[in-house]
Each structure stands twice: as C-alpha cells, then as structure tokens.
Amino acid sequence: MNKKIAAILATAFALSGSCTNLNNDRERNNNRGEHPPVINVEELSSRFMYPPDNCRPGAFWCWLNGNMSKEAITRDLREMSEKGMSRAEIWDVAAAYNPDNFIPAGPAFFSDESVELIKYAISEGEKYGIKIGMVGSSGWNAGGEWVEPDWASKALYYSDTTVKGNSKINISLPFPEVPAHSPKDSNGNPQFKKEVAVLAVPHNAEKKVESKEMVLNLTDHFENGILNCDLPEGEWTIMRFICSNSGQTLIVPSPNSGGLFIDFLDPKATERHLKHFMNRLGFVKGNSSKSKLSYIEFDSMELDEGTVWTDSMPEIFRKMRAYDLTHYLPVFAGWEIGDESDQFLYDWEKTLSDQLIFSHYNTGRRFLEQYGIELVAEAGGPGPPIWNTCPVDALKALGNVSVPRGEFWIRHRNMFLVKEISSASHIYGKKLVDAESFTTWRRWKDSPYTLKKYVDRAFCEGLNCVTFHTFASTNPEDGLPGRTYHAGSDINPGTTWWEKSAPFMDYLTRCSYMLQEGRFVADVCYFYGDQAPNFSPLFHDVPEKPGITGLSKGYDFDVVNSDVILNRMSVEKGRIVLPDGMSYSFLILPDQTHMPLAVLKKLEMMVKAGATIIGKKPINVPGLNKNAEDTQELSSIADLMWRNPDGGEMKINAYGKGRVVSGLTATELLQSDNIEKDFSSTGSNDLDYIHRQFANGDAYFVRNESEVNYSGDCTFRQSGKFPELWDPSSGEQLKVKNFTKENGVITVQLNLPPAASVFVVFTDKERKELQTYVPSETLMEEKLAGPWKVTFPEGWGAPSEISLDKLISWTDSDMDGVKYFSGTATYNKPVNINAELLDEGRRVSIDLGDVRDVAEVYLNGQSAGILWKKPYSLDITDLIRPGENQLKIEIVNMWVNRLTGDMLSDPKDRYCRTNHPYVKKDNRAGGGDETYRIQASGLLGPVQFLFHKDI
C-alpha cells in the first residue's frame, strides 16, 4: 500500500462498527426501477485516481478589453494543461476598471483580427488538450454589431390620450415614447416600429374597467397616426400600442465591441446570430470534425424592465392560448379588467416563457447540433432578487439546452444556484450539472481551502462540472497580480498559489468524475407549480442548502415541472419513473390551489397506475381559456382523488393502485412507508451528503460542514454491501474493516477534520484485492522548535532572509516588508532524527499545524507533497533518514497583504500592478468588496514529526 496516502487517510478517517435497527422493509424501498445505471464500481475504481480529462475544471477565459495575442493564448493554454484544467471559454469582455489604459483596447469582437485569434485559440486548444468554448457575444448575453433593428430585442410601448365621446373623433395620437438608446434614424424616429393596436376604455382615475367588452378596438380606424372614428358618449382613454426596439445593448462588451441584444422571442434571430458565428469561423453544417469548437455559452438572461415583445407576438399568443390578447393590452398600461387581469397575466407570462425557451434555447441548441457544437446556458435565472426580469420556467429552459449551467457566489448575494440546475439535469436526462463557480467581489483573499468549502456544498447540491469564474489572461509585462475582471475569484498564473494548484485541480476532477457517473438517488420529487416565471427556490437568497418544507434533512429530492410530468413521467412498481431511470417514491404538490387540468389528468392516470402524490387538493385552473369549463372538470376529478368518505381529516386515500395523501408531511409519509433517511449522522457537527448509484454499488459524497473536527456515527441506507473509503484528494481507495450491517443499514464512525470530505462507496461484493484501512497509533510526537530560517524572493519588499525563534504570522512582524509580504517564502531547518525512531514498520508524518495558506514540504531535496487544506500533514516515511535531514517548507499566502501595504504606501513605493482599484472601505451591503486588510499568513505551526505504528 502507498504509505504516504494511507497515512493521509489514517489522519482523516477512523472507523468502528456500530449498528442502528431499522425496519427490514427498507430493502424493498431501495428498488430503483427498471433502468439500472450502466457503469459499475470496478470501472469507477480503475479511473478514480486518473479520471477522464473531460471531468477536469474549465474557466471563463477573459480576453479583457478584447486585448489578446497569440503568445498569450499559447501561454495560457499550456498553463491550464499543466495544472490540470480541460476547458477554456473565450470571453471577450470589458475590464470594468482600467486606470491609465492599463489594458489597451483590442480589436472588435469578430473582426478579422479577432476571428484569427479565436481560430488560433481553437487550434492551440487541440494541441494542449484543452476544449475551447466561447461566450455567445462580447460581454453578454447574445448580440453584436451585426444585429439589425428588425431582429434586435423589442418591447411593447404605449401612449394614452383622453377624449370626450358622443361625436366623431379625428385626432392625431402621440407616438409612444421609446427608450433614448433605441436605434433611431436621422430624424430621431425609431428605425424599427410596428403598430400593434389602438384601444379605447372608459376613462377611470383608478384605471379599472368592469370587463374586456368595455375595451373598444379602434385599430381599423387608425391610419398614418390619425384616429378617425365614432365614440360613444362619455370620457375615454385612448391607448396606442406599438412594438419597437428596447435598445438594450450587450452588457460589459470590450471597448471596440458592442451592439444590440437579439430578439429572444424570435427563433430566426437566434439562428441569424449563431449563423454569423459559424460563417465568420468558417464552420460548415455536418462537418463537426473541422470546427473543433466545443460549445457556445449564453449567460444569464438579464433583460431591461418593460413588456418584452416581438412583432409576431399576437399570433404567437393566439396559437399558444387559443384566444386574442388585443382586448387585454391595457393591462400592460396598468389597467385592471374586471377579475380577469391576473388570469390573463398568467397566460401572458406562460406564453412569454414558452416562446423564449423555444426561440432562444431550443432553437439555439438544435441549430448548433448541426455543427457538432453544444449550447451551454445559464438558462435558469437567476430570478428575484437578483434579476426580476428573467421570464422563464427555469427547469424547462434548462432542459432545452445541451448543458445546464448555474452559478454560486462566495459570500456576496447569498447566490447559490445549483440545486435547481441539478434537478433540471436529472429530470431531463442530462449528465452534466455545470456552474459558474466561485463568483465574488472579493479580490485575492480566498485560499483553495476556502474555495473547497463552497464547492463541496455545490457538489452536495448536484454540481459535477466546475467552470471557474474567472481565468483572466494576463502577461508577464503586466506585473502581478496583473489583469483581472471586476468579479470572480482569480484562478490564473497571476494567482500566488497557481504553481501549487495541481492538487486542488485533481480534487475537483475526482469529485466531478464520481458525481457525473451513475445516477442521482432521490427519495421524492417536488412539483414547483405551473406558473412563469418560476425558479427553485423562487427567491434566490440561499445562504444554506435549499430544501422542501416538510422533508427532513437526510432525504433528497428533485424539483419537477409541468413539462416533465406531462411528457416524461410514468409509473413502474409503484414508483414514479423517468425515461432515463430516475425514480421517486412519490410526488409532492406545491402549496397552491391552482393546477392546469392537463396536469391533474396526468397525475390521476399515474395514481391509478400505482403512484403516490401528497399535498392539498387543487381547486381551480389558471388562465382564461375555457377556465370555467376546465375548473369544473378539475374539481370533479379532484373530489374523487381527495375523497373523504368519513367526513374527517383525510390522510391517505386509496385511488386505483395508488394513493392521494394530505394532512401528512413528506417525512411522515416516508417513515410510515418504512423509508428512513438515506443518510444520517450523530455528533455535534452537521454533515452534508449526496448519493449516486451504480450498476453494482453506491457512493455517498460526505462533507463536514463545520470548521471543527467531526466524530460520530454515520448511517447509510444500504443492505448487504461492503463499505470503502475513496479519498478525492489523493485517489486512494481502502476497504473498511470494522463495520456492521444489520436490518438494511450500515453504520460507521467517521472522524473528519474541518471541512473534510470523502466518498463512502458500497459494493455488492467485497473487493479482496483492495487494501484494508488500518488505523494507526501515534507512538511519539516531536515538536520542531526554532530557530527557523525564512527566505523571501527579491523585489517584493521583504528582506532576503530572517530568523524566527518561534513561528508567527508574517503580519505580526515588526518589519513592514514581512508584514505586507505576499507570495512564496521558504522555511529552512536542519532536523536530526535518532535512528531508533525509524524502526521497521513505523511510519513518520509531518504535521504543520496551522498554515496560511498553501504549503509544499521538501525533505532532503525531494518534495513530499503540496498541502492546501486541513489537516496540513504528510507521510514522509520514504524520505526521512537517520541523522541530519534538511527540511524545507514553501508557504504561499494571498495577494491581499501586499495590496494592503501598497494601498497605504506612496505610489512610488508600491510593488503590485493591476487594473483593479484599492478597496478602501467596506461595501458588502452595496454589492462590493471588503476593504483591503492584512490577514494571517505564513507557517503558524506547531510543526511536529509524528511516529506511527499500525494497530
């Protein structure tokens, strides 16, 4: 066995057998349906140490201000490849801060020079094994200088005029005001405009009319700006509605780029936009082998306020909703039409969502498929409170792209959009759950250990594809930290810890690999309603992992929508199943009283076939078309399904072969069905998990959520299987010797360091060829006292060498050059080892105690390994020798210390160079950074040698 790796595991995990009694019926409830996952544990095991390259992380590759060179392209891709990345997403984008033209403006996006660089990047990516994607515009979202007004984004605008009736009207109606930045001709008129309707309503100060019959359609009497008609007696408000460009332009494009958003409701606009990409790059349909472009990305849908429109919207609405919207247009001007306004808006918002999903995401994906290119998109939001203008049913939008992408932030905004994305992937049969990862406004403050805590939460919510936000391309002549985008964690060669980043990349890769394979295990699915826009959670402010009311921690779930219920759900052996093999014990209904009739009919059919649903009875059908008729039919069906023959509070109603349940929580129903938690733990700290199933086994990714050690019993809903520990940090796999399996569960004791994580794998058969985990006993500890010789690199303000009698944070030094130092410093110390301490069979490890922030340990000229997370310990048995040993420890901290020193210094005495301004006051509440201040750095210790013996 690899002694070094075994020692790491021994430090992190200690297991002993124990047992929890649960009902034997648990075995029955582990049935996953008729679609077993294909991959088996043996295949997983053989690839775990070195997973496929396509599981490695990628990044938004910022070409800031469009300023890029072939030399920088080659340098970046080579660095990515060497450190363990696999994807680079070209992002032509503005540098929000650019003092003194620190980053010169490059060519316009998709100009000849830009295209040449993009083609070169694709070619170099193939050379270095890096897949190349690109954002679908300069900045975001989708658009460019090539977008003409007739296929640019549009909105509905109106003007109103008050007149008196009972006479012939012949008046000029004012042209509605359009945004100042909407494209205009030389006379100041909109380049694109289309009359929609002219309507009259009885004037009312409160903007209310009793019914749509009181809305008069005068469109046929309006020509060339003049309304010529007869109006009944009274005072009337006349509204003129037009469609024109919203004028919304790309967000943060590079200086020489820009252009209008496309019309997201027009499929031809999406095709024209993507066709421009294909033509400029010389790609041909059906010859994907020549393109070599992996994917195009559409970023989050961030629309301007207003009523989004397209010139064919009346026809689209009539086709989707089977009635004319014309008489309801005053609703967009703030009018209430009887009691129908809300119902109309329901229909409108559903139409808007469905059309945008079809015309932009579905059309874009199908178009790119012809070229062998995937569509990656942040199609699921964010919604409120980040963006109140994203109009989609998030799950349906995500289900219509090739690779759904979410986003998670560090600290700011409580933005953690992952669970929604993973649900979409699971319910639409997609393998990848991507995320724009580590977005933040914090600059150069967070170590890999900090990043791990955030990404581990994302893994437990279903993430399995990491895309760094961001890798900004920077040049040696730019200095350090160099070029940076204004948001995101800087993970690039300008980062202090870049040269020691490979183990962090390997960790992300192994976790992603394991979580891409097999199938997610969920106990239930939750229907989040039929309305649009719709998100999960509806309000994107999620400081903690999102859950479902009434479902306890330890059970997991997917969120589903009407589209999946209607088109992908069926029932097998009492379980709700999807075509790709996902299955659930039952469906939870939302806490609302409306439901489309088609959805209830499908649920009734499923329940008759053996499914279970839980929730309140629907009362009415949303929307206007056939509302009364459909509501009556819905009520008749619902009364039967939620029948209560005894007149009391209904709990469980048998219906066909299935059940309709109300008055119970999801957890109560699961427990009444003898389905206990899939994972539970004792101990003072919280653990989080996610469960994947394979052809002949299961894997649980378990993480310690806290900053203190965890020790306690962990119970897994497994039966007749054999547990193993797979360490994603090292790739090591070990059998667990001491465990007990009884009554359908296996309970083990885990000892986890702060923020530690591990895969607990269960196999159908014991793998005898695997080494067994053997705990060790520490026989002796030898602390290393001072003095320590610490050397610093030249040119960064610190002395070339200092001596420390005891280990302290650099920030506690009396020397400003040390206090504000950022980068890599080296600790050197000769260590004498008594030969008797190195007896046969003993192992020796070094424990560095507290490290800020990354360390690499060398013994006698050889690297023992890189340490980037707790515990900062390594096995050095193979490197240590009797007598004198030369110990060298390289320590890397974060840039914020030197930046803080520079901020407080005269400009001529500064060391760092970057386009990002100094942050001089906290602005977290306003969505900004925290002031630059020094943070603990260096080797804090205590450092000690530990001498072990296997028990």
Side-chain angles (χ1 to χ4, degrees):
M1 181 172 71
N2 185 315
K3 293 181 179 179
K4 179 166 68 175
I5 301 301
I8 294 171
L9 279 171
T11 304
F13 314 113
L15 296 99
S16 63
S18 61
C19 163
T20 300
N21 290 317
L22 295 173
N23 194 294
N24 283 324
D25 287 344
R26 181 78 49 72
E27 183 68 18
R28 169 179 61 85
N29 291 305
N30 274 332
N31 172 25
R32 303 305 302 159
E34 301 299 320
H35 308 275
V38 174
I39 194 165
N40 58 46
V41 172
E42 290 76 18
E43 291 177 273
L44 281 172
S45 177
S46 66
R47 301 175 190 170
F48 183 63
M49 176 65 83
Y50 302 107
D53 285 345
N54 58 14
C55 298
R56 293 192 168 277
F60 282 85
W61 184 19
C62 299
W63 293 14
L64 291 167
N65 285 353
N67 182 278
M68 198 53 162
S69 67
K70 290 183 177 180
E71 293 76 16
I73 288 170
T74 298
R75 182 174 58 247
D76 286 350
L77 294 176
R78 183 176 60 244
E79 289 283 349
M80 291 180 190
S81 178
E82 290 176 352
K83 299 305 182 294
M85 296 175 61
S86 69
R87 287 177 292 112
E89 190 167 308
I90 297 171
W91 190 19
D92 182 277
V93 65
Y97 306 109
N98 195 31
D100 301 320
N101 200 34
F102 186 84
I103 306 172
F109 184 59
F110 264 80
S111 64
D112 289 348
E113 186 178 348
S114 168
V115 168
E116 183 181 355
L117 289 169
I118 293 169
K119 287 182 175 180
Y120 181 78
I122 294 172
S123 174
E124 289 291 275
E126 187 176 12
K127 174 181 174 182
Y128 288 103
I130 302 293
K131 290 184 177 180
I132 302 297
M134 63 186 305
V135 177
S137 65
S138 180
W140 78 88
N141 190 294
E145 299 288 357
W146 49 89
V147 177
E148 300 294 337
D150 64 312
W151 55 288
S153 60
K154 303 177 182 69
L156 184 70
Y157 302 99
Y158 74 95
S159 64
D160 52 24
T161 304
T162 301
V163 300
K164 290 190 179 296
N166 199 24
S167 63
K168 192 169 185 65
I169 300 296
N170 190 292
I171 60 171
S172 173
L173 297 183
F175 191 84
E177 183 179 352
V178 300
H181 51 280
S182 180
K184 307 290 197 311
D185 61 21
S186 58
N187 296 318
N189 298 315
Q191 289 188 35
F192 176 87
K193 58 184 182 294
K194 183 177 182 179
E195 300 289 344
V196 176
V198 173
L199 305 175
V201 295
H203 183 70
N204 182 294
E206 297 181 351
K207 289 191 168 185
K208 294 181 179 180
V209 294
E210 293 181 3
S211 69
K212 74 179 182 71
E213 281 70 28
M214 299 182 69
V215 179
L216 303 182
N217 187 349
L218 307 178
T219 307
D220 291 343
H221 302 279
F222 179 73
E223 187 175 0
N224 297 325
I226 304 298
L227 177 64
N228 192 334
C229 67
D230 292 319
L231 275 179
E233 184 177 359
E235 194 171 19
W236 294 83
T237 296
I238 299 175
M239 286 170 276
R240 177 184 180 183
F241 292 90
I242 68 156
C243 168
S244 188
N245 292 128
S246 70
Q248 186 170 7
T249 55
L250 295 173
I251 303 170
V252 293
S254 58
N256 288 320
S257 307
L260 297 167
F261 269 18
I262 66 169
D263 182 345
F264 294 109
L265 303 180
D266 181 0
K268 292 182 180 178
T270 297
E271 289 181 347
R272 288 177 71 174
H273 178 63
L274 294 175
K275 183 64 175 176
H276 182 78
F277 275 54
M278 301 301 103
N279 288 344
R280 293 293 292 149
L281 294 171
F283 297 161
V284 179
K285 287 183 183 180
N287 197 352
S288 59
S289 62
K290 283 193 174 181
S291 75
K292 304 298 183 184
L293 183 67
S294 180
Y295 61 90
I296 287 177
E297 193 257 8
F298 289 153
D299 214 79
S300 48
M301 185 62 64
E302 301 174 10
L303 302 177
D304 284 346
E305 297 286 346
T307 303
V308 184
W309 200 264
T310 190
D311 46 334
S312 58
M313 180 54 78
E315 293 78 13
I316 292 169
F317 187 90
R318 186 180 299 108
K319 182 178 180 180
M320 288 190 181
R321 305 299 155 202
Y323 69 91
D324 193 329
L325 58 61
T326 302
H327 286 81
Y328 294 98
L329 291 177
V331 172
F332 298 125
W335 285 75
E336 292 184 25
I337 301 178
D339 59 358
E340 296 183 339
S341 295
D342 288 344
Q343 298 284 58
F344 165 72
L345 285 174
Y346 170 89
D347 287 338
W348 163 253
E349 288 165 348
K350 284 283 292 180
T351 302
L352 185 61
S353 172
D354 288 346
Q355 181 62 21
L356 190 149
I357 291 168
F358 163 71
S359 64
H360 190 48
Y361 296 122
N362 183 280
T363 297
R365 187 199 77 241
R366 290 186 292 107
F367 179 88
L368 290 173
E369 283 173 352
Q370 301 174 87
Y371 296 84
I373 297 170
E374 291 185 314
L375 175 62
V376 177
E378 294 185 31
I386 311 302
W387 287 103
N388 295 306
T389 58
C390 184
V392 298
D393 168 352
L395 294 175
K396 187 174 182 180
L398 291 160
N400 274 273
V401 303
S402 311
V403 178
R405 175 177 285 175
E407 179 178 359
F408 65 91
W409 282 61
I410 295 177
R411 298 198 184 186
H412 301 292
R413 287 181 162 178
N414 287 330
M415 167 80 145
F416 223 91
L417 183 53
V418 177
K419 184 63 176 176
E420 173 189 279
I421 316 304
S422 65
S423 289
S425 285
H426 301 155
I427 65 179
Y428 281 97
K430 298 181 183 297
K431 181 175 182 176
L432 297 182
V433 180
D434 196 351
E436 176 184 312
S437 303
F438 311 119
T439 310
T440 186
W441 281 300
R442 292 167 57 83
R443 313 310 302 170
W444 299 296
K445 298 171 182 174
D446 296 314
S447 68
Y449 174 67
T450 299
L451 301 183
K452 178 185 187 297
K453 290 180 282 188
Y454 287 90
V455 77
D456 281 355
R457 173 186 163 182
F459 285 144
C460 286
E461 293 186 26
L463 178 74
N464 62 23
C465 185
V466 176
T467 302
F468 298 143
H469 190 274
T470 59
F471 182 115
S473 182
T474 189
N475 302 309
E477 59 269 26
D478 295 322
L480 292 171
R483 301 181 181 187
T484 182
Y485 184 57
H486 72 277
S489 299
D490 296 278
I491 303 177
N492 65 355
T495 304
T496 55
W497 51 274
W498 176 255
E499 290 303 320
K500 301 188 188 300
S501 64
F504 177 65
M505 303 291 184
D506 290 343
Y507 173 80
L508 298 177
T509 301
R510 293 191 186 100
C511 290
S512 297
Y513 170 64
M514 290 290 287
L515 298 173
Q516 285 180 21
E517 296 296 347
R519 183 179 301 126
F520 170 63
V521 176
D523 292 291
V524 300
C525 57
Y526 167 69
F527 174 42
Y528 79 159
D530 185 71
Q531 64 279 353
N534 207 1
F535 307 96
S536 180
L538 185 60
F539 193 73
H540 279 152
D541 187 354
V542 282
E544 298 178 353
K545 183 177 181 178
I548 300 172
T549 301
L551 185 70
S552 300
K553 186 175 180 178
Y555 296 108
D556 215 335
F557 65 95
D558 274 329
V559 185
V560 300
N561 60 358
S562 296
D563 182 42
V564 167
I565 291 173
L566 293 170
N567 300 306
R568 290 179 59 82
M569 274 191 178
S570 59
V571 181
E572 293 179 7
K573 297 182 179 180
R575 292 186 68 85
I576 295 171
V577 299
L578 300 176
D580 312 285
M582 282 300 305
S583 73
Y584 312 93
S585 292
F586 54 80
L587 171 72
I588 303 172
L589 299 179
D591 186 19
Q592 58 189 39
T593 59
H594 64 81
M595 180 181 291
L597 177 59
V599 172
L600 185 64
K601 284 184 172 181
K602 178 64 180 288
L603 293 180
E604 181 195 27
M605 182 179 70
M606 290 169 54
V607 173
K608 285 182 176 179
T612 296
I613 62 173
I614 178 173
K616 64 170 58 177
K617 179 173 71 172
I619 296 174
N620 52 55
V621 172
L624 282 176
N625 187 41
K626 296 173 57 183
N627 181 273
E629 178 184 338
D630 285 357
T631 293
Q632 183 176 2
E633 186 175 357
L634 177 132
S635 295
S636 298
I637 297 171
D639 287 345
L640 292 174
M641 295 177 69
W642 275 263
R643 184 177 69 254
N644 185 7
D646 299 327
E649 182 182 356
M650 189 195 81
K651 296 288 187 182
I652 300 177
N653 181 38
Y655 190 79
K657 296 179 181 179
R659 301 173 299 173
V660 177
V661 181
S662 64
L664 294 176
T665 67
T667 295
E668 290 170 341
L669 180 58
L670 285 162
Q671 291 178 346
S672 72
D673 288 343
N674 299 313
I675 305 174
E676 296 298 330
K677 293 181 179 180
D678 192 22
F679 172 80
S680 60
S681 61
T682 63
S684 59
N685 307 344
D686 286 333
L687 301 184
D688 196 6
Y689 84 103
I690 190 170
H691 179 185
R692 304 284 297 187
Q693 186 176 60
F694 313 106
N696 61 340
D698 296 75
Y700 293 76
F701 177 75
V702 179
R703 73 172 179 114
N704 181 1
E705 295 185 63
S706 72
E707 283 289 337
V708 296
N709 290 313
Y710 169 85
S711 180
D713 290 340
C714 296
T715 300
F716 302 87
R717 193 170 65 201
Q718 294 295 318
S719 176
K721 294 179 181 176
F722 300 86
E724 301 172 1
L725 290 182
W726 294 16
D727 184 355
S729 299
S730 64
E732 185 73 358
Q733 305 166 47
L734 297 172
K735 291 189 297 186
V736 176
K737 181 179 180 181
N738 297 318
F739 69 94
T740 303
K741 36 187 176 179
E742 184 177 344
N743 296 328
V745 297
I746 297 173
T747 301
V748 298
Q749 185 184 27
L750 285 182
N751 293 331
L752 296 173
S757 53
V758 65
F759 283 97
V760 184
V761 178
F762 294 89
T763 61
D764 287 353
K765 295 180 180 180
E766 183 179 8
R767 297 201 293 159
K768 298 186 182 299
E769 73 278 8
L770 209 62
Q771 294 288 337
T772 301
Y773 166 76
V774 179
S776 63
E777 176 185 11
T778 300
L779 301 175
M780 181 179 175
E781 300 176 356
E782 183 174 316
K783 292 186 178 180
L784 304 186
W788 294 84
K789 184 176 74 172
V790 186
T791 59
F792 296 89
E794 294 182 7
W796 287 97
S800 60
E801 181 180 313
I802 64 173
S803 179
L804 294 177
D805 291 331
K806 63 178 182 178
L807 295 173
I808 62 170
S809 171
W810 300 338
T811 56
D812 293 332
S813 174
D814 294 332
M815 293 179 282
D816 283 353
V818 176
K819 174 185 288 188
Y820 296 116
F821 175 77
S822 291
T824 303
T826 304
Y827 291 69
N828 292 278
K829 185 177 184 61
V831 180
N832 283 293
I833 298 295
N834 191 319
E836 295 179 358
L837 296 177
L838 303 179
D839 286 348
E840 184 71 25
R842 286 189 180 181
R843 296 200 322 277
V844 186
S845 62
I846 185 170
D847 189 317
L848 304 186
D850 194 3
V851 171
R852 305 296 177 90
D853 292 286
V854 179
E856 184 167 8
V857 177
Y858 295 83
L859 197 62
N860 299 318
Q862 296 188 57
S863 175
I866 294 171
L867 296 168
W868 57 277
K869 62 180 181 61
K870 299 179 182 180
Y872 296 100
S873 60
L874 282 169
D875 188 291
I876 56 173
T877 305
D878 295 336
L879 299 180
I880 200 165
R881 62 195 181 202
E884 185 170 285
N885 293 263
Q886 294 300 320
L887 176 63
K888 181 175 79 170
I889 305 171
E890 293 181 347
I891 301 291
V892 188
N893 70 337
M894 302 294 107
W895 276 124
V896 67
N897 286 12
R898 185 61 266 168
L899 288 164
T900 302
D902 284 4
M903 180 177 69
L904 302 174
S905 301
D906 188 282
K908 66 181 177 58
D909 297 325
R910 291 171 179 169
Y911 297 88
C912 288
R913 295 192 71 235
T914 179
N915 57 297
H916 198 280
Y918 298 111
V919 183
K920 297 185 177 181
K921 67 177 183 177
D922 289 348
N923 187 30
R924 284 188 64 179
D929 198 358
E930 303 150 13
T931 185
Y932 285 165
R933 55 175 65 91
I934 55 176
Q935 56 192 34
S937 298
L939 178 60
L940 308 185
V943 179
Q944 55 188 339
F945 287 145
L946 304 177
F947 299 88
H948 310 275
K949 184 177 182 181
D950 291 344
I951 297 175

